[in-house]
Amino acid sequence: MHFNSTCKMLRCRTGLPPSLLLRRTATRTASNTSVQGFQSHPHLHPASSNQVPKPKAHGSEHWTIERFLTVITIPLVGSGLAFGPLWPVDYGLAILLPIHTHLGFGTMIQDYLPERRNARVHRAATWALRITTGLVVYALVTFNMYDVGVTAFVQRLWTGQSARRLKGEMEGQ
């Protein structure tokens, strides 16, 4: 790439003059001849010059929340398997599982659809995730209120029993 096209590209990306972004370097080759080139200034890299520096603990809160939700979800799933359908377990799963999934997909969107590449796609994916998570929480809470609930539904799927046989067994115990 020629120096002039590099300068134009850097000016377009950062708005800074190229003299601040590039410095001339001279290196020696094996035949002891000088090779002239340009190198990006380490403190003014074009991709990071417009970004605000992030604090050192930037990702730690997100990671802590994800692990906390995982630790809470494990006993809920275990108690649903051990004790059968209980309303606190059903509502806990109806809220925590979609939030846990939301955080995982949110991380995927941040990693694979970064805002700096295409802000419109990033915003659209983020809003689609938010709307979908809200609808799933609403659907699961409604399912718990007006139907059998999450754990009873999973129990039905697992055992293959109909609703009548499942209710009869639970009332007989």
Side-chain angles (χ1 to χ4, degrees):
M1 184 179 287
H2 298 296
F3 176 69
N4 289 337
S5 61
T6 304
C7 291
K8 288 178 185 175
M9 180 183 70
L10 291 174
R11 184 180 291 277
C12 292
R13 290 177 74 187
T14 64
L16 297 172
S19 60
L20 290 177
L21 300 174
L22 298 175
R23 65 176 178 216
R24 191 176 276 285
T25 60
T27 57
R28 299 276 179 196
T29 61
S31 62
N32 211 13
T33 58
S34 178
V35 176
Q36 295 291 327
F38 292 92
Q39 179 181 2
S40 293
H41 193 278
H43 300 291
L44 294 173
H45 192 270
S48 64
S49 63
N50 294 332
Q51 296 176 358
V52 177
K54 296 178 181 175
K56 289 184 178 180
H58 172 65
S60 66
E61 297 91 11
H62 190 269
W63 187 87
T64 304
I65 291 170
E66 282 184 354
R67 297 304 164 254
F68 180 71
L69 285 175
T70 302
V71 168
I72 291 175
T73 305
I74 291 171
L76 281 176
V77 171
S79 62
L81 292 172
F83 303 116
L86 298 170
W87 70 267
V89 174
D90 283 342
Y91 284 100
L93 290 174
I95 294 170
L96 289 178
L97 286 178
I99 291 173
H100 181 74
T101 306
H102 174 86
L103 291 174
F105 276 110
T107 303
M108 185 196 70
I109 289 171
Q110 287 175 351
D111 289 345
Y112 296 108
L113 300 171
E115 190 172 11
R116 69 180 186 275
R117 283 194 192 159
N118 193 341
R120 288 182 183 169
V121 172
H122 177 81
R123 275 187 253 126
T126 302
W127 276 104
L129 177 63
R130 290 173 183 162
I131 291 169
T132 304
T133 302
L135 289 174
V136 168
V137 168
Y138 174 76
L140 288 175
V141 168
T142 304
F143 186 70
N144 285 333
M145 290 173 70
Y146 299 111
D147 208 342
V148 294
V150 175
T151 52
F153 180 72
V154 171
Q155 187 178 15
R156 270 192 216 173
L157 286 176
W158 191 269
T159 60
Q161 295 178 350
S162 69
R164 288 185 215 124
R165 285 180 46 194
L166 189 63
K167 277 187 180 178
E169 289 178 10
M170 291 183 69
E171 289 173 2
Q173 291 178 352

